[in-house]
Amino acid sequence: MIYMLDSANIEEIKKSFDLFPMAGVTTNPTIVTKEKRDYYELLSEIRKIIGKEKMLHTQILAETFEEMIEESNFITKSFGEDTYTKIPVTAEGLKAIKYLKYKYNRNITATAIFSPQQALMAAEAGADYVAPYVNRSENIGIDSTSTISEICRLFEVGEISNCKILGASFKNVKQVHETILAGAKSITVSYETLKQLIYHPLTDTSIEGFINDWEKTYNTRKLYNKTTA
Ligand code: G3P
């Protein structure tokens, strides 16, 4: 399973990479605007924090092929050759994905996906990841679990083995859970959703019980005495 953090917030990135088994960071223009910082400086800092071995997926803003290529070139030049350029699935976007993959073998994440056919076309164009938007789909009545299962099925039929489904746009644990069960092997989540994925009140009360029992018996909250160990 690949977990990524959908955030450009430095504190959230530091905390999530310290605590959780994170594989990378994803950003989009809206996420970046929340930090109110210069894009180049912010993304450079993120790359420095996560290191070269973790994935960084960052999105272009351009709407035309030529500008998309320029922005992708800026991204890889600035944040490392391995950085994934996120490109929305439009006709110009597909042209850019094809060009960048076959000319430079660039890492590409096709994003803003709402239908299985968009995902199939992006994979065929050369995307390494396709990012279906779960919560935004559900907001307009699309059954996102069916979308993910159908993408998996289309990839089987189309014999596409080099493109992963990156579930994105989550607001709760249920959406993440169902997305993974439907076949997505990678997800990107906000820091809030990441924490919710492992939260259970019974875990907290169980721990409290263990500590209380220990303390009542041994009159200490320590497992062993450091001075005699
Ligand atoms: O990664 C996709 C994502 O950033 C969109 O998420 O929460 O704005 O729907 P959201």
Side-chain angles (χ1 to χ4, degrees):
M1 193 63 212
I2 294 174
Y3 291 102
M4 290 196 256
L5 187 73
D6 205 20
S7 172
N9 181 276
I10 298 298
E11 284 317 302
E12 289 180 355
I13 291 168
K14 282 183 180 166
K15 281 190 215 152
S16 61
F17 275 70
D18 182 39
L19 298 169
F20 297 91
M22 305 310 294
V25 166
T26 59
T27 77
N28 65 32
T30 302
I31 286 173
V32 171
T33 60
K34 288 182 186 151
E35 305 311 311
K36 297 184 171 38
R37 285 184 54 187
D38 175 76
Y39 174 67
Y40 172 78
E41 278 177 23
L42 179 60
L43 270 286
S44 300
E45 188 174 347
I46 293 172
R47 173 53 91 194
K48 206 169 158 203
I49 291 166
I50 67 176
K52 277 200 294 236
E53 68 285 358
K54 300 287 180 183
M55 285 187 282
L56 178 61
H57 300 228
T58 188
Q59 195 167 323
I60 53 148
L61 194 60
E63 291 182 280
T64 63
F65 168 76
E66 288 77 14
E67 286 172 346
M68 286 175 178
I69 303 307
E70 270 176 31
E71 290 184 359
S72 177
N73 289 341
F74 170 80
I75 286 168
T76 50
K77 192 168 162 244
S78 306
F79 316 126
E81 279 300 317
D82 289 346
T83 306
Y84 287 76
T85 303
K86 285 177 69 185
I87 302 179
V89 180
T90 59
E92 293 281 307
L94 287 171
K95 183 176 174 183
I97 293 170
K98 280 194 298 173
Y99 180 85
L100 291 167
K101 178 52 77 181
Y102 296 108
K103 185 160 167 73
Y104 302 118
N105 195 25
R106 189 148 297 163
N107 288 335
I108 303 287
T109 299
T111 194
I113 288 176
F114 290 84
S115 82
Q117 288 299 327
Q118 288 178 315
L120 181 62
M121 192 76 85
E124 197 55 46
D128 302 281
Y129 286 87
V130 287
Y133 279 13
V134 172
N135 187 65
R136 290 191 195 201
S137 293
E138 293 188 354
N139 285 347
I140 55 163
I142 299 173
D143 176 2
S144 59
T145 308
S146 300
T147 307
I148 310 281
S149 319
E150 287 172 21
I151 295 172
C152 289
R153 180 76 189 114
L154 289 177
F155 282 11
E156 277 169 27
V157 173
E159 295 179 350
I160 287 165
S161 55
N162 49 359
C163 182
K164 294 188 185 68
I165 301 172
L166 172 64
S169 174
F170 295 107
K171 286 290 169 279
N172 58 55
V173 173
K174 186 169 181 274
Q175 290 172 340
V176 174
H177 187 67
E178 287 174 352
T179 296
I180 296 170
L181 285 179
K185 292 190 170 60
S186 46
I187 53 150
T188 184
V189 289
S190 68
Y191 187 54
E192 278 316 304
T193 305
L194 183 68
K195 287 187 290 182
Q196 283 169 14
L197 285 175
I198 60 147
Y199 174 72
H200 201 293
L202 287 180
T203 303
D204 294 348
T205 51
S206 299
I207 292 168
E208 210 180 304
F210 298 143
I211 294 173
N212 287 343
D213 289 343
W214 194 268
E215 197 167 16
K216 270 186 241 152
T217 305
Y218 298 115
N219 202 27
T220 175
R221 292 171 74 91
K222 301 282 178 219
L223 188 66
Y224 65 95
N225 185 342
K226 280 187 188 159
T227 56
T228 56

